[in-house]
Coordinates of all heavy atoms in Angstrom, one line a residue:
I238 N -127.4 -73.3 69.6 CA -127.3 -72.2 68.4 C -128.8 -71.9 68.0 O -129.1 -70.7 67.8 CB -126.4 -72.8 67.3 CG1 -125.0 -72.7 67.8 CG2 -126.5 -71.7 66.1 CD1 -124.0 -73.4 66.9
S239 N -129.6 -73.0 67.9 CA -131.0 -72.6 67.6 C -131.8 -71.9 68.5 O -132.5 -71.0 68.2 CB -131.7 -74.2 67.4 OG -131.1 -74.8 66.3
S240 N -131.5 -72.2 69.8 CA -132.2 -71.3 70.9 C -131.8 -69.9 70.9 O -132.6 -69.0 71.0 CB -131.8 -72.0 72.2 OG -132.3 -73.2 72.4
I241 N -130.6 -69.6 70.7 CA -130.1 -68.3 70.4 C -130.7 -67.6 69.3 O -131.1 -66.4 69.4 CB -128.4 -68.3 70.3 CG1 -127.8 -68.9 71.7 CG2 -128.0 -66.9 70.1 CD1 -126.3 -69.0 71.5
A242 N -130.7 -68.3 68.2 CA -131.2 -67.7 66.9 C -132.7 -67.4 67.0 O -133.3 -66.3 66.7 CB -131.0 -68.7 65.7
S243 N -133.4 -68.4 67.8 CA -134.9 -68.3 67.9 C -135.2 -67.1 68.7 O -136.2 -66.3 68.5 CB -135.4 -69.4 68.5 OG -136.8 -69.3 68.7
A244 N -134.4 -66.9 69.9 CA -134.7 -65.9 70.8 C -134.4 -64.5 70.1 O -135.1 -63.4 70.5 CB -133.7 -66.0 72.0
A245 N -133.3 -64.4 69.3 CA -133.0 -63.2 68.7 C -134.1 -62.8 67.6 O -134.5 -61.7 67.4 CB -131.7 -63.3 67.9
A246 N -134.6 -63.8 67.0 CA -135.6 -63.5 65.9 C -137.0 -63.0 66.5 O -137.5 -62.2 65.9 CB -135.9 -64.8 65.1
V247 N -137.5 -63.7 67.5 CA -138.7 -63.2 68.1 C -138.6 -61.8 68.7 O -139.7 -61.2 69.0 CB -139.3 -64.2 69.1 CG1 -139.7 -65.6 68.5 CG2 -138.4 -64.4 70.4
E248 N -137.5 -61.3 68.9 CA -137.4 -59.9 69.5 C -137.5 -58.8 68.4 O -137.7 -57.7 68.8 CB -136.1 -59.7 70.2 CG -135.9 -60.6 71.4 CD -136.8 -60.1 72.5 OE1 -136.9 -59.0 72.7 OE2 -137.3 -61.1 73.2
V249 N -137.5 -59.2 67.1 CA -137.6 -58.3 66.1 C -139.1 -57.9 65.9 O -139.9 -58.7 65.8 CB -137.1 -58.9 64.8 CG1 -137.3 -57.9 63.6 CG2 -135.7 -59.3 64.9
P250 N -139.3 -56.5 65.8 CA -140.7 -56.0 65.6 C -141.2 -56.5 64.3 O -140.5 -56.5 63.3 CB -140.5 -54.6 65.6 CG -139.2 -54.1 66.3 CD -138.3 -55.5 66.1
G251 N -142.4 -57.0 64.4 CA -143.1 -57.6 63.1 C -143.0 -59.0 63.2 O -143.8 -59.6 62.3
V252 N -142.3 -59.7 64.0 CA -142.2 -61.1 64.0 C -143.4 -61.7 64.9 O -143.3 -61.2 66.1 CB -140.9 -61.7 64.4 CG1 -140.9 -63.3 64.6 CG2 -139.9 -61.3 63.4
A253 N -144.2 -62.4 64.5 CA -145.4 -63.0 65.4 C -144.9 -64.2 66.2 O -145.3 -64.4 67.3 CB -146.6 -63.3 64.6
G254 N -143.9 -64.8 65.6 CA -143.5 -66.0 66.4 C -142.7 -67.0 65.4 O -142.6 -66.7 64.3
M255 N -142.2 -68.0 66.0 CA -141.5 -68.9 65.1 C -142.4 -69.9 64.5 O -143.5 -70.2 65.1 CB -140.4 -69.7 66.1 CG -139.4 -68.8 66.8 SD -138.6 -67.7 65.6 CE -137.4 -68.8 64.8
A256 N -142.0 -70.5 63.3 CA -142.9 -71.4 62.6 C -142.1 -72.7 62.5 O -140.8 -72.7 62.7 CB -143.2 -70.8 61.3
Q257 N -142.8 -73.8 62.4 CA -142.1 -75.1 62.3 C -141.6 -75.2 60.8 O -142.3 -75.0 59.8 CB -143.1 -76.3 62.5 CG -142.5 -77.6 62.5 CD -143.4 -78.6 63.3 OE1 -144.3 -78.2 63.9 NE2 -143.0 -79.8 63.2
R258 N -140.4 -75.7 60.7 CA -139.7 -76.0 59.4 C -140.2 -77.3 58.9 O -140.7 -78.1 59.6 CB -138.2 -75.9 59.6 CG -137.7 -76.9 60.5 CD -136.1 -76.6 60.7 NE -135.5 -77.4 61.7 CZ -134.8 -78.5 61.5 NH1 -134.5 -78.9 60.3 NH2 -134.3 -79.1 62.4
P259 N -139.9 -77.5 57.6 CA -140.2 -78.8 57.1 C -139.7 -80.0 57.9 O -138.5 -79.8 58.3 CB -139.6 -78.8 55.6 CG -139.5 -77.3 55.3 CD -139.3 -76.5 56.7
A260 N -140.4 -81.0 57.9 CA -140.0 -82.1 58.7 C -138.7 -82.8 58.4 O -138.5 -83.1 57.2 CB -141.0 -83.1 58.9
D261 N -137.9 -83.1 59.4 CA -136.7 -84.0 59.3 C -136.5 -84.6 60.6 O -137.4 -84.3 61.6 CB -135.6 -83.3 58.8 CG -135.0 -82.3 59.7 OD1 -135.5 -82.0 60.8 OD2 -133.8 -81.7 59.3
I262 N -135.8 -85.5 60.8 CA -135.6 -86.3 62.1 C -135.2 -85.4 63.2 O -135.9 -85.5 64.3 CB -134.5 -87.4 62.0 CG1 -134.7 -88.4 63.1 CG2 -133.2 -86.9 61.8 CD1 -136.0 -89.1 63.2
R263 N -134.4 -84.3 63.1 CA -134.0 -83.4 64.1 C -135.3 -82.5 64.5 O -135.6 -82.2 65.6 CB -133.0 -82.5 63.8 CG -131.6 -83.3 63.7 CD -130.4 -82.4 63.6 NE -129.2 -83.1 63.5 CZ -128.2 -82.7 63.2 NH1 -128.1 -81.3 62.8 NH2 -127.0 -83.3 63.1
G264 N -136.1 -82.2 63.5 CA -137.2 -81.3 63.7 C -138.3 -82.1 64.4 O -139.1 -81.5 65.2
I265 N -138.4 -83.4 64.3 CA -139.4 -84.2 65.0 C -139.0 -84.4 66.5 O -139.9 -84.3 67.3 CB -139.6 -85.5 64.3 CG1 -140.2 -85.3 62.9 CG2 -140.4 -86.5 65.2 CD1 -140.3 -86.5 62.1
I266 N -137.7 -84.7 66.8 CA -137.2 -85.0 68.0 C -136.9 -83.8 68.9 O -137.0 -83.8 70.0 CB -136.0 -86.0 67.9 CG1 -136.4 -87.3 67.3 CG2 -135.4 -86.2 69.3 CD1 -135.2 -88.2 66.9
G267 N -136.4 -82.8 68.2 CA -135.8 -81.6 69.0 C -136.7 -80.8 69.7 O -138.0 -80.9 69.8
S268 N -136.2 -79.7 70.3 CA -137.0 -78.7 71.0 C -137.8 -77.9 70.0 O -137.6 -77.9 68.9 CB -136.1 -77.9 71.9 OG -135.4 -77.1 71.1
A269 N -138.6 -76.9 70.6 CA -139.3 -76.0 69.8 C -138.4 -75.1 69.0 O -138.6 -74.7 67.7 CB -140.3 -75.1 70.7
A270 N -137.3 -74.6 69.6 CA -136.3 -73.8 68.9 C -135.6 -74.5 67.8 O -135.5 -74.1 66.7 CB -135.2 -73.4 69.8
A271 N -135.4 -75.9 68.0 CA -134.8 -76.8 66.9 C -135.7 -76.9 65.8 O -135.3 -77.3 64.7 CB -134.3 -78.0 67.5
R272 N -137.0 -77.0 66.1 CA -138.1 -77.1 65.0 C -138.2 -75.9 64.2 O -138.8 -76.0 63.1 CB -139.3 -77.6 65.6 CG -139.3 -79.0 66.2 CD -140.7 -79.5 66.5 NE -141.2 -78.7 67.6 CZ -141.3 -79.1 68.9 NH1 -140.6 -80.2 69.1 NH2 -141.8 -78.4 69.7
A273 N -137.7 -74.7 64.7 CA -137.9 -73.5 64.0 C -136.7 -73.0 63.3 O -136.7 -72.1 62.5 CB -138.5 -72.5 64.9
V274 N -135.5 -73.5 63.6 CA -134.2 -73.1 63.1 C -133.4 -74.3 62.7 O -133.3 -75.3 63.4 CB -133.4 -72.3 64.2 CG1 -132.1 -71.8 63.6 CG2 -134.2 -71.0 64.6
R275 N -132.9 -74.2 61.5 CA -132.0 -75.4 61.1 C -130.5 -74.7 61.0 O -130.3 -73.7 60.5 CB -132.3 -75.9 59.7 CG -131.4 -76.9 59.2 CD -131.9 -77.6 57.9 NE -132.1 -76.6 56.9 CZ -133.0 -76.9 55.9 NH1 -133.4 -78.0 55.7 NH2 -133.2 -76.0 54.9
V276 N -129.7 -75.6 61.6 CA -128.3 -75.1 61.7 C -127.4 -76.0 60.9 O -127.4 -77.2 61.1 CB -127.9 -75.1 63.2 CG1 -126.3 -74.7 63.4 CG2 -128.7 -74.2 64.1
L277 N -126.6 -75.5 60.1 CA -125.6 -76.2 59.3 C -124.3 -75.7 59.9 O -123.9 -74.5 59.6 CB -125.7 -76.1 57.8 CG -127.1 -76.6 57.2 CD1 -127.2 -76.1 55.8 CD2 -127.2 -78.1 57.4
N278 N -123.4 -76.4 60.6 CA -122.4 -76.0 61.3 C -121.1 -76.8 61.0 O -121.1 -78.1 61.0 CB -122.8 -76.2 62.9 CG -121.9 -75.5 63.7 OD1 -121.1 -74.6 63.4 ND2 -121.9 -75.8 65.0
N279 N -120.1 -76.1 60.7 CA -118.7 -76.8 60.7 C -117.7 -75.9 61.2 O -118.1 -75.0 61.8 CB -118.5 -77.2 59.1 CG -118.2 -76.0 58.2 OD1 -117.8 -74.9 58.6 ND2 -118.6 -76.2 57.0
D280 N -116.5 -76.2 61.1 CA -115.3 -75.6 61.8 C -115.3 -74.0 61.4 O -114.9 -73.3 62.2 CB -114.1 -76.3 61.7 CG -114.0 -77.6 62.3 OD1 -114.8 -77.8 63.2 OD2 -113.2 -78.5 61.9

């Protein structure tokens, strides 16, 4: 879901790129997309 959101965001005119979000354990371990998008997901 982070990868999908990241790809959609960088396609918008005016967006220079993704930025790193405030650090948490997923942000440190995850991919570049996971470091730029936080997902809160339930059913």
Side-chain angles (χ1 to χ4, degrees):
I238 295 171
S239 295
S240 295
I241 294 168
S243 180
V247 296
E248 294 294 319
V249 174
V252 175
M255 302 305 289
Q257 188 162 346
R258 62 186 168 106
D261 63 358
I262 192 67
R263 287 186 184 169
I265 294 169
I266 296 172
S268 68
R272 288 190 296 265
V274 179
R275 180 171 48 198
V276 179
L277 301 173
N278 195 13
N279 62 33
D280 292 337

